[in-house]
Amino acid sequence: MDLNHARILLTGATGGLGHALARCLAEKGADLLLAGRDAKRLAACHTEIGGIGGTGRQTLSLRADLTLPEDIEKTAAAAREFGVNVLINNAGVNAFGMYEKQDWRALEQVMATNLIAPMQLTHALLPWLKERESAAIVNIGSTFGSLPFPGFAAYSSAKAGLRGFSQALRRELADSRVEVVHVAPRTIASAMNTAAVNALNHDLGNHADTPQAVARKIVAALRAGSGEKHFGFPEILFAWLNGFAPGLIDLGLKAKLAVIKRHALQA
Ligand SMILES: NC(=O)c1ccc[n+]([C@@H]2O[C@H](COP(=O)([O-])OP(=O)(O)OC[C@H]3O[C@@H](n4cnc5c(N)ncnc54)[C@H](OP(=O)(O)O)[C@@H]3O)[C@@H](O)[C@H]2O)c1
């Protein structure tokens, strides 16, 4: 996919990865429709990204809560008006804690934002995208989509669902011009991770990538076209092992459960 003047709807543009992605895409000459909820951060992002690449590029922004059906419709309409040929489903939320102790509304929010919203936006925009000369849908998953983790039951479920959705859709669209890209980053240093998650990652020795480094890999994946990309070693190895020997991963994570519980119960 040629990104120079690709017309991209980027959700979650106000977040850590979204902001880095917006910069990276703008530097490649893409026109951007930036979506987020936080008005102040969206305006700041719009101003900064609008200034990249001179007057030849277009940047617009749109406030939308993607858990609201009317905002999905509003976003899809704005995307058609903008002439998008790339949809990047990046908005997401996490909820760290032991499942039975978690508030159901927070868990529903995780499913709605990370899984239902990308499926709804895709559903609303697919007929439009199929008419473009070249088009792509990029779903931002997570290592936890292939390596479901204690303390992250809803988030892992949503990201596993998003991965399954991406695979099914890619196979369904194999005879079309719409590319389906799924990426699965490991931990990213962003505001999504609370102090409790950061403390857990520290104690487990988990590495966090910078949003900028992950954004560059996602942009490379989009340029390369349809497929699934996992980022980070040894997470790639464990996710792969979980695919055919989940019992081994069960044992490995049981050994870490006391540490995970200690942090999860403080979350
Ligand atoms: N951080 C990690 O460790 C990590 C690892 C792997 C994958 N990921 C994935 O990377 C993506 C970006 O995460 P991040 O690290 O950049 O997190 P972040 O900094 O917390 O940003 C999350 C973004 O999602 C938006 N958002 C949340 N709920 C929304 C809703 N209901 N409607 C519309 N937008 C909503 C936020 O908008 P507002 O701020 O404007 O509300 C924000 O722009 C997510 O899909 C996440 O699951 C993250």
Side-chain angles (χ1 to χ4, degrees), residues 179-196:
E179 315 261 4
V180 180
V181 180
H182 181 83
V183 297
R186 63 177 172 183
T187 303
I188 303 166
S190 81
M192 172 174 280
N193 297 317
T194 58

Side-chain angles (χ1 to χ4, degrees), residues 174-240:
D175 60 355
S176 82
R177 290 189 295 262
V178 185
E179 315 261 4
V180 180
V181 180
H182 181 83
V183 297
R186 63 177 172 183
T187 303
I188 303 166
S190 81
M192 172 174 280
N193 297 317
T194 58
V197 174
N198 289 331
L200 172 69
N201 282 329
H202 176 268
D203 284 1
L204 294 181
N206 291 339
H207 187 82
D209 293 317
T210 65
Q212 293 74 18
V214 178
R216 280 193 296 273
K217 287 183 186 174
I218 293 170
V219 168
L222 169 58
R223 291 174 94 176
S226 266
E228 182 170 309
K229 293 272 185 300
H230 297 249
F231 306 146
F233 188 86
E235 289 82 353
I236 286 178
L237 178 66
F238 292 134
W240 172 78

Side-chain angles (χ1 to χ4, degrees), residues 12-18 36-38 41 64-67 90-93 109 113-114 140-142 155 159 185-188 190-193:
T14 47
L17 180 59
R37 287 178 307 185
D38 186 300
R41 274 188 289 143
D65 180 339
L66 297 174
T67 62
N90 167 68
V93 286
Q109 194 74 9
T113 313
N114 295 287
I140 310 299
S142 158
Y155 185 74
K159 292 299 188 183
R186 63 177 172 183
T187 303
I188 303 166
S190 81
M192 172 174 280
N193 297 317

Side-chain angles (χ1 to χ4, degrees), residues 7-137:
R7 297 189 70 80
I8 301 179
L9 166 60
L10 172 65
T11 71
T14 47
L17 180 59
H19 176 255
L21 266 173
R23 276 204 73 92
C24 210
L25 291 164
E27 282 161 8
K28 300 271 182 277
D31 298 310
L32 291 167
L33 174 56
L34 306 168
R37 287 178 307 185
D38 186 300
K40 236 176 157 180
R41 274 188 289 143
L42 192 59
C45 188
H46 186 157
T47 305
E48 180 193 332
I49 301 303
I52 298 174
T55 51
R57 283 188 52 255
Q58 194 182 7
T59 304
L60 290 182
S61 58
L62 176 76
R63 266 186 87 190
D65 180 339
L66 297 174
T67 62
L68 303 176
E70 61 270 27
D71 281 18
I72 292 279
E73 272 316 308
K74 180 176 84 175
T75 306
R80 284 188 287 264
E81 199 173 319
F82 190 69
V84 295
N85 68 326
V86 179
L87 162 63
I88 304 183
N89 286 308
N90 167 68
V93 286
N94 200 347
F96 175 48
M98 298 312 285
Y99 186 65
E100 66 182 279
K101 304 267 184 219
Q102 290 182 292
D103 175 46
W104 178 250
R105 277 163 308 176
L107 302 179
E108 251 184 341
Q109 194 74 9
V110 169
M111 299 309 288
T113 313
N114 295 287
L115 178 59
I116 304 300
M119 291 179 72
Q120 283 179 315
L121 264 185
T122 301
H123 191 257
L125 285 174
L126 196 48
W128 168 270
L129 290 173
K130 285 175 96 170
E131 297 299 315
R132 303 306 103 201
E133 244 171 61
S134 76
I137 297 163

